[in-house]
Every structure is written in C-alpha cells, then in structure tokens.
Short mmCIF file of all heavy atoms in Angstrom, two decimals:
data_model
loop_
_atom_site.label_atom_id
_atom_site.label_comp_id
_atom_site.label_asym_id
_atom_site.label_seq_id
_atom_site.Cartn_x
_atom_site.Cartn_y
_atom_site.Cartn_z
N MET A 1 142.33 126.77 181.65
CA MET A 1 141.79 125.77 180.75
C MET A 1 142.19 124.38 181.25
O MET A 1 143.03 124.24 182.13
CB MET A 1 142.31 125.98 179.34
CG MET A 1 141.93 127.33 178.74
SD MET A 1 140.18 127.41 178.40
CE MET A 1 140.22 128.26 176.87
N ASN A 2 141.61 123.39 180.67
CA ASN A 2 141.84 122.02 181.12
C ASN A 2 143.15 121.44 180.57
O ASN A 2 143.74 121.97 179.63
CB ASN A 2 140.66 121.13 180.74
CG ASN A 2 140.34 121.18 179.27
OD1 ASN A 2 140.11 122.25 178.71
ND2 ASN A 2 140.32 120.03 178.62
N LEU A 3 143.57 120.35 181.20
CA LEU A 3 144.77 119.66 180.79
C LEU A 3 144.68 119.28 179.32
O LEU A 3 143.66 118.76 178.86
CB LEU A 3 144.96 118.39 181.63
CG LEU A 3 146.23 117.59 181.34
CD1 LEU A 3 147.46 118.40 181.75
CD2 LEU A 3 146.19 116.26 182.07
N GLY A 4 145.74 119.57 178.59
CA GLY A 4 145.79 119.26 177.16
C GLY A 4 145.56 120.46 176.27
O GLY A 4 145.78 120.38 175.07
N THR A 5 145.14 121.57 176.84
CA THR A 5 144.95 122.78 176.05
C THR A 5 146.32 123.35 175.69
O THR A 5 147.17 123.53 176.55
CB THR A 5 144.14 123.84 176.82
OG1 THR A 5 142.86 123.28 177.15
CG2 THR A 5 143.95 125.11 176.00
N LEU A 6 146.51 123.60 174.41
CA LEU A 6 147.74 124.21 173.93
C LEU A 6 147.43 125.56 173.30
O LEU A 6 146.34 125.74 172.74
CB LEU A 6 148.44 123.30 172.91
CG LEU A 6 148.91 121.96 173.46
CD1 LEU A 6 149.46 121.07 172.33
CD2 LEU A 6 149.97 122.16 174.53
N ILE A 7 148.35 126.49 173.40
CA ILE A 7 148.16 127.83 172.85
C ILE A 7 149.18 128.05 171.74
O ILE A 7 150.37 127.82 171.92
CB ILE A 7 148.33 128.92 173.94
CG1 ILE A 7 147.39 128.68 175.11
CG2 ILE A 7 148.16 130.32 173.34
CD1 ILE A 7 145.92 128.78 174.79
N VAL A 8 148.70 128.51 170.60
CA VAL A 8 149.55 128.89 169.47
C VAL A 8 149.50 130.40 169.37
O VAL A 8 148.42 131.00 169.44
CB VAL A 8 149.03 128.25 168.16
CG1 VAL A 8 149.78 128.79 166.96
CG2 VAL A 8 149.13 126.73 168.23
N GLY A 9 150.65 131.01 169.22
CA GLY A 9 150.71 132.46 169.07
C GLY A 9 151.88 132.85 168.21
O GLY A 9 152.90 132.16 168.19
N PRO A 10 151.76 133.94 167.49
CA PRO A 10 152.87 134.39 166.65
C PRO A 10 154.03 134.89 167.50
O PRO A 10 153.83 135.39 168.61
CB PRO A 10 152.27 135.53 165.83
CG PRO A 10 151.10 135.99 166.61
CD PRO A 10 150.60 134.82 167.40
N ARG A 11 155.24 134.75 166.97
CA ARG A 11 156.42 135.25 167.68
C ARG A 11 156.41 136.77 167.71
O ARG A 11 156.78 137.38 168.70
CB ARG A 11 157.68 134.76 166.99
CG ARG A 11 157.93 133.29 167.19
CD ARG A 11 159.27 132.88 166.60
NE ARG A 11 159.48 131.46 166.82
CZ ARG A 11 159.65 130.59 165.85
NH1 ARG A 11 159.67 130.98 164.60
NH2 ARG A 11 159.83 129.32 166.13
N ASP A 12 156.02 137.38 166.60
CA ASP A 12 155.96 138.83 166.53
C ASP A 12 154.66 139.32 167.17
O ASP A 12 153.69 138.57 167.26
CB ASP A 12 156.01 139.30 165.06
CG ASP A 12 157.33 138.95 164.39
OD1 ASP A 12 158.36 138.91 165.10
OD2 ASP A 12 157.31 138.71 163.17
N HIS A 13 154.66 140.57 167.58
CA HIS A 13 153.44 141.14 168.17
C HIS A 13 152.40 141.35 167.08
O HIS A 13 152.57 142.18 166.19
CB HIS A 13 153.73 142.46 168.88
CG HIS A 13 152.50 143.06 169.47
ND1 HIS A 13 151.83 142.46 170.51
CD2 HIS A 13 151.81 144.17 169.14
CE1 HIS A 13 150.76 143.20 170.80
NE2 HIS A 13 150.74 144.23 169.99
N VAL A 14 151.34 140.57 167.15
CA VAL A 14 150.23 140.63 166.20
C VAL A 14 148.96 140.53 167.03
O VAL A 14 148.88 139.73 167.96
CB VAL A 14 150.30 139.46 165.19
CG1 VAL A 14 149.10 139.42 164.29
CG2 VAL A 14 151.58 139.53 164.38
N VAL A 15 147.96 141.33 166.70
CA VAL A 15 146.73 141.29 167.48
C VAL A 15 145.55 140.69 166.71
O VAL A 15 144.48 140.51 167.27
CB VAL A 15 146.35 142.69 168.02
CG1 VAL A 15 147.42 143.20 168.97
CG2 VAL A 15 146.08 143.67 166.90
N ALA A 16 145.74 140.39 165.42
CA ALA A 16 144.65 139.84 164.61
C ALA A 16 145.22 138.98 163.49
O ALA A 16 146.32 139.24 162.99
CB ALA A 16 143.82 140.98 164.01
N ILE A 17 144.49 137.98 163.09
CA ILE A 17 144.91 137.14 161.98
C ILE A 17 145.11 137.98 160.72
O ILE A 17 146.02 137.74 159.94
CB ILE A 17 143.90 136.00 161.76
CG1 ILE A 17 144.02 135.00 162.91
CG2 ILE A 17 144.12 135.31 160.42
CD1 ILE A 17 143.04 133.87 162.89
N ALA A 18 144.30 139.00 160.55
CA ALA A 18 144.42 139.88 159.38
C ALA A 18 145.77 140.58 159.31
O ALA A 18 146.17 141.04 158.24
CB ALA A 18 143.30 140.92 159.40
N GLU A 19 146.50 140.65 160.41
CA GLU A 19 147.80 141.30 160.44
C GLU A 19 148.96 140.37 160.12
O GLU A 19 150.10 140.82 160.02
CB GLU A 19 148.05 141.94 161.81
CG GLU A 19 147.15 143.10 162.11
CD GLU A 19 147.49 143.74 163.46
OE1 GLU A 19 148.41 143.27 164.16
OE2 GLU A 19 146.81 144.71 163.80
N LEU A 20 148.71 139.08 159.99
CA LEU A 20 149.80 138.14 159.72
C LEU A 20 150.42 138.42 158.36
O LEU A 20 149.71 138.68 157.37
CB LEU A 20 149.29 136.71 159.75
CG LEU A 20 148.79 136.18 161.09
CD1 LEU A 20 148.16 134.81 160.91
CD2 LEU A 20 149.91 136.15 162.11
N ASP A 21 151.75 138.34 158.28
CA ASP A 21 152.38 138.47 156.97
C ASP A 21 152.20 137.15 156.22
O ASP A 21 151.69 136.16 156.78
CB ASP A 21 153.85 138.88 157.10
CG ASP A 21 154.72 137.86 157.80
OD1 ASP A 21 154.42 136.65 157.77
OD2 ASP A 21 155.75 138.26 158.38
N ASP A 22 152.60 137.12 154.96
CA ASP A 22 152.37 135.93 154.12
C ASP A 22 153.04 134.69 154.68
O ASP A 22 152.46 133.60 154.66
CB ASP A 22 152.84 136.19 152.69
CG ASP A 22 151.97 137.18 151.95
OD1 ASP A 22 150.84 137.47 152.43
OD2 ASP A 22 152.40 137.68 150.90
N THR A 23 154.25 134.83 155.20
CA THR A 23 154.97 133.69 155.75
C THR A 23 154.24 133.13 156.97
O THR A 23 154.02 131.91 157.07
CB THR A 23 156.41 134.08 156.12
OG1 THR A 23 157.06 134.55 154.94
CG2 THR A 23 157.17 132.91 156.70
N ALA A 24 153.87 133.99 157.89
CA ALA A 24 153.17 133.54 159.10
C ALA A 24 151.82 132.92 158.75
O ALA A 24 151.43 131.90 159.33
CB ALA A 24 152.98 134.70 160.07
N ALA A 25 151.11 133.51 157.80
CA ALA A 25 149.81 132.97 157.40
C ALA A 25 149.97 131.58 156.78
O ALA A 25 149.17 130.68 157.06
CB ALA A 25 149.13 133.92 156.41
N ALA A 26 151.02 131.39 155.97
CA ALA A 26 151.25 130.09 155.35
C ALA A 26 151.64 129.03 156.39
O ALA A 26 151.33 127.85 156.22
CB ALA A 26 152.35 130.21 154.29
N GLU A 27 152.29 129.43 157.45
CA GLU A 27 152.70 128.50 158.50
C GLU A 27 151.56 128.16 159.45
O GLU A 27 151.57 127.10 160.09
CB GLU A 27 153.85 129.10 159.31
CG GLU A 27 155.14 129.23 158.54
CD GLU A 27 156.22 130.00 159.28
OE1 GLU A 27 155.92 130.58 160.35
OE2 GLU A 27 157.37 130.00 158.80
N LEU A 28 150.58 129.05 159.57
CA LEU A 28 149.54 128.89 160.58
C LEU A 28 148.68 127.65 160.37
O LEU A 28 148.44 126.90 161.31
CB LEU A 28 148.66 130.14 160.65
CG LEU A 28 147.57 130.13 161.72
CD1 LEU A 28 148.18 129.99 163.11
CD2 LEU A 28 146.73 131.40 161.62
N GLY A 29 148.22 127.42 159.15
CA GLY A 29 147.33 126.27 158.90
C GLY A 29 147.96 124.95 159.30
O GLY A 29 147.39 124.19 160.10
N PRO A 30 149.14 124.63 158.76
CA PRO A 30 149.79 123.37 159.16
C PRO A 30 150.09 123.30 160.66
O PRO A 30 149.97 122.23 161.26
CB PRO A 30 151.07 123.35 158.33
CG PRO A 30 150.75 124.18 157.13
CD PRO A 30 149.85 125.27 157.65
N LEU A 31 150.46 124.42 161.26
CA LEU A 31 150.75 124.42 162.70
C LEU A 31 149.49 124.12 163.51
O LEU A 31 149.52 123.32 164.46
CB LEU A 31 151.35 125.76 163.13
CG LEU A 31 151.66 125.90 164.62
CD1 LEU A 31 152.63 124.82 165.09
CD2 LEU A 31 152.20 127.29 164.91
N LEU A 32 148.37 124.73 163.15
CA LEU A 32 147.12 124.44 163.85
C LEU A 32 146.70 122.98 163.65
O LEU A 32 146.27 122.33 164.60
CB LEU A 32 146.01 125.39 163.38
CG LEU A 32 146.16 126.85 163.79
CD1 LEU A 32 145.05 127.68 163.16
CD2 LEU A 32 146.19 127.00 165.29
N ARG A 33 146.85 122.48 162.41
CA ARG A 33 146.51 121.08 162.15
C ARG A 33 147.36 120.15 163.01
O ARG A 33 146.85 119.25 163.66
CB ARG A 33 146.72 120.76 160.67
CG ARG A 33 146.43 119.30 160.32
CD ARG A 33 147.09 118.86 159.04
NE ARG A 33 148.54 119.08 159.13
CZ ARG A 33 149.28 119.42 158.09
NH1 ARG A 33 148.74 119.59 156.90
NH2 ARG A 33 150.59 119.58 158.23
#
C-alpha cells in the first residue's frame, strides 16, 4: 500500500468483526476515528 496507510488489528486472534468481544468492539470505533 502507499505511504500513510495504517493497519488496525485486534491483539487477540479474531477473524471477523462479529467475533469481537464487547470491550474490543467499544474500542474499535474511536480507534478507527
């Protein structure tokens, strides 16, 4: 990817957003923003 692309990923092994626990899901929105 081009310069400036950043990757966000969960610390735990997760393969889908549907698998995120409540804490990770609550953290994801602000982190992406």
Side-chain angles (χ1 to χ4, degrees):
M1 299 290 220
N2 55 304
L3 183 66
T5 300
L6 296 174
I7 304 296
V8 172
R11 288 185 180 120
D12 296 329
H13 179 66
V14 175
V15 297
I17 289 176
E19 292 183 359
L20 294 173
D21 64 27
D22 290 345
T23 301
E27 292 172 351
L28 183 60
L31 178 58
L32 291 176
R33 178 201 57 214

